[in-house]
Amino acid sequence: MTRLRSALVVAAVGALLAVPAAMGTASAAPVAAPVIQAPEPGCAKLGAYGQWWADIHNVCGHTISAGVEVDGWDPSCIQIGPGGVGRIGLDQGDEPYYAYEC
């Protein structure tokens, strides 16, 4: 009976030691980091737009020149003060994709 008890104790201790080792192995697997989208570079951000116009926001603390990207011809750049909003004229049917610094 003593040998059987010793064998059971050894088996139980072995099982208890194996479980944390398996758990440690599973937790060591790399975890995918959440995808964080980087902010759009530059100070010029496209705001609201409509037929014939688009607003460009200057999110920086200095004056910039900015324009918008449209299919084909891009309108001329405009100057926008720090933290300001400038409205740029568009041709009929133009839809701006993004604002950029000139």
Side-chain angles (χ1 to χ4, degrees):
M1 191 66 136
T2 307
R3 286 186 188 175
L4 181 57
R5 186 178 301 160
S6 296
L8 289 174
V9 169
V10 170
V13 170
L16 289 174
L17 292 176
V19 170
M23 288 173 54
T25 303
S27 65
V31 177
V35 176
I36 300 173
Q37 187 158 355
E40 190 176 336
C43 296
K45 307 297 178 199
L46 179 63
Y49 61 89
Q51 185 69 18
W52 305 100
W53 61 274
D55 285 344
I56 303 171
H57 295 264
N58 177 359
V59 297
C60 294
H62 59 275
T63 300
I64 63 169
S65 289
V68 294
E69 175 67 28
V70 296
D71 281 339
W73 173 84
D74 291 343
S76 298
C77 294
I78 59 171
Q79 191 171 15
I80 307 169
V85 176
R87 181 161 285 181
I88 194 166
L90 301 175
D91 286 342
Q92 183 176 4
D94 282 349
E95 185 172 335
Y97 296 109
Y98 57 88
Y100 62 90
E101 291 182 66
C102 305

